[in-house]
Amino acid sequence: MNVELFSTAQTHFKGNLHTHSTISDGMRDPKEIADAYRKKGYDFLAFTEHYTFTWLQELNQPDFLILPGIEAGCSAPGPYQIHHVVGIGGADIQTEHFQNFDHSQLHGTTGAQTVVDTLQEQGYLSIYCHPVWSRQSFAEIAQLERFQAIEVYNHNCYLEDHTGHASYYWDAFLRQGTRIWAVATDDSHQKAEDFGGGWVVVNAPSLTVEAINQALLQGSFYSSNGPAIEAYGVKDGKVYVRCSPAVSIHFVAFERRGGSFHATGDRLLTEATHTLHGDEKYVRIEVVDERGRTAWSNPIFF
Ligand SMILES: [Zn+2]
Ligand SMILES: [Zn+2]
């Protein structure tokens, strides 16, 4: 199979899929936040207020799009445990939904599945958030189904207490056959400098809710907290990536092992290829820059 899964040669848009404002427990008002992201070069933003459906279309600009969003969830057995799921809505979202998301009867992983299914019924795609911060073991969430993505990186959790990284959980889902994408997000609350620390770059034909939602569903994007990916895909039996200067490029594969490339001397890497053996179930790419920051491709499934 020859396929390019992401390319900056195609129309692409940068966005943050997880943000709180004064509507829930953020510190700044939505307009201030939208302006700050637009100034930073972002193209789209989702306000994902706790249990409150939000679609602030009045903040749309010709070059800046607000997506419908919510962060829902439920309690979990342990005193520090919780489940949080971000929902990103499509263009057909009915604005009366979720004004009063009732989670009082939901509990544990069964409750989390109900949240995912309720979001899906209403036309949202679901992202399982910050599992390390939520104190969930993989075993506790392994049975979750019908969600589209997991937060491989949550910037606010990273800043707060180093609970923002979750690539182990992502691979664990992929290795048991649960096909999900990964996203990096800010989860900005404006209590710290938490703007612009985790984002996605999406290949979509236009900056509309429908096009971005569709691209997220299809996995036509990559995630990052630093480096940029120019293109990745498969050509003539090899997985390839082109990227901003990197100290390491990893091809993470399963079940057969993948491979890593590392810069030598002061010559940084801007591309790499990995030869497929033909029995890989998936390959995904991580690009690491000199500051230890990472860009994550979505998995290529075989
Ligand atoms: Zn959360
Ligand atoms: Zn949040």
Side-chain angles (χ1 to χ4, degrees):
M1 93 181 177
N2 283 352
V3 60
E4 189 152 75
L5 291 140
F6 176 87
S7 171
T8 50
Q10 308 294 324
T11 326
H12 56 284
F13 302 103
K14 178 179 178 177
N16 175 25
L17 296 168
H18 192 165
T19 318
H20 301 271
S21 74
T22 46
I23 294 171
S24 60
D25 59 349
M27 304 302 280
R28 297 208 216 167
D29 76 68
K31 183 170 186 331
E32 216 184 317
I33 294 166
D35 287 347
Y37 275 103
R38 188 164 164 260
K39 231 182 241 172
K40 271 189 177 285
Y42 280 65
D43 304 297
F44 64 90
L45 178 66
F47 288 95
T48 51
E49 312 289 0
H50 296 286
Y51 303 105
T52 308
F53 171 86
T54 315
W55 189 7
L56 305 173
Q57 298 181 70
E58 64 274 21
L59 298 178
N60 281 344
Q61 307 262 354
D63 62 350
F64 191 77
L65 179 74
I66 303 292
L67 301 177
I70 187 171
E71 183 171 17
C74 66
S75 61
Y80 297 104
Q81 286 188 304
I82 197 158
H83 293 286
H84 277 179
V85 178
V86 152
I88 301 294
D92 55 348
I93 287 300
Q94 302 296 306
T95 48
E96 65 269 22
H97 288 156
F98 287 112
Q99 297 287 9
N100 300 299
F101 188 93
D102 181 14
H103 62 284
S104 57
Q105 302 307 311
L106 302 178
H107 192 65
T109 310
T110 316
Q113 187 65 59
T114 304
V115 172
V116 167
D117 290 344
T118 309
L119 289 172
Q120 189 176 46
E121 278 160 26
Q122 308 291 356
Y124 289 78
L125 58 88
S126 346
I127 301 166
Y128 192 86
C129 300
H130 48 62
V132 181
W133 186 89
S134 293
R135 294 299 184 240
Q136 298 298 332
S137 69
F138 176 68
E140 283 168 300
I141 59 173
Q143 302 307 315
L144 276 180
E145 296 176 297
R146 296 181 289 282
F147 63 109
Q148 281 75 34
I150 190 167
E151 277 182 337
V152 70
Y153 180 75
N154 178 305
H155 190 52
N156 187 55
C157 293
Y158 170 74
L159 291 177
E160 193 175 284
D161 55 4
H162 200 3
T163 53
H165 287 274
S167 64
Y168 161 78
Y169 292 76
W170 185 25
D171 275 322
F173 276 115
L174 296 173
R175 288 169 191 197
Q176 71 173 11
T178 309
R179 291 189 171 200
I180 51 170
W181 312 127
V183 299
T185 71
D186 273 344
D187 196 1
S188 173
H189 288 73
Q190 309 91 43
K191 289 166 189 160
E193 279 299 313
D194 57 3
F195 278 61
W199 60 86
V200 293
V201 183
V202 174
N203 265 157
S206 59
L207 189 61
T208 62
V209 173
E210 199 168 18
I212 298 293
N213 193 277
Q214 197 54 36
L216 290 172
L217 270 172
Q218 290 169 350
S220 306
F221 64 93
Y222 75 89
S223 301
S224 181
N225 60 19
I229 290 178
E230 280 166 30
Y232 74 93
V234 185
K235 198 176 177 200
D236 303 331
K238 291 181 169 117
V239 177
Y240 65 88
V241 64
R242 295 192 299 278
C243 55
S244 56
V247 289
S248 298
I249 298 175
H250 304 289
F251 292 90
V252 179
F254 189 74
E255 187 172 351
R256 179 185 288 277
R257 297 181 185 92
S260 294
F261 295 85
H262 305 286
T264 49
D266 52 7
R267 245 186 93 171
L268 297 175
L269 305 170
T270 54
E271 61 182 353
T273 59
H274 175 71
T275 303
L276 293 165
H277 287 81
D279 58 356
E280 291 88 352
K281 293 199 172 67
Y282 72 88
V283 179
R284 61 177 188 82
I285 305 153
E286 291 193 14
V287 173
V288 182
D289 73 9
E290 284 183 293
R291 289 174 55 188
R293 302 178 305 180
T294 303
W296 297 265
S297 81
N298 271 318
I300 306 165
F301 296 110
F302 300 99

